[in-house]
Amino acid sequence: DITALMTPAAPALGLPVIPVDEATAQLVANGRVLNAEGPLAGLSAGDQVALTNDDRLIAVYERAVEAVRPATVIPGGVL
């Protein structure tokens, strides 16, 4: 299987990877701004993170002053 030879998308970005639950994944899929709480609370302004759900890269988010905003949303995600 060729996929066994491929590097997973999220770690390949070189960003911190944060798995999110299904409810948060639904918000992310629609490009919603997230509150800087839970695992996102420790981010500083300008920090980027890769968000995953069910081992799929679904977005890259960036910490703004007041919240965490989408930089890129990947519909359906990638492995």
Side-chain angles (χ1 to χ4, degrees):
D1 183 14
I2 190 85
T3 58
L5 302 174
M6 299 170 70
T7 301
L13 293 176
L15 299 172
V17 177
I18 298 178
V20 297
D21 60 24
E22 190 60 37
T24 303
Q26 293 298 321
L27 297 175
V28 168
N30 291 306
R32 297 281 292 275
V33 173
L34 302 176
N35 293 328
E37 53 191 33
L40 300 173
L43 299 175
S44 299
D47 287 351
Q48 291 188 326
V49 294
L51 300 183
T52 62
N53 177 259
D54 198 25
D55 294 326
R56 299 180 77 78
L57 172 64
I58 58 172
V60 173
Y61 267 59
E62 184 173 334
R63 174 66 194 255
V65 174
E66 72 286 350
V68 185
R69 302 183 176 280
T72 304
V73 174
I74 304 162
V78 294
L79 289 175

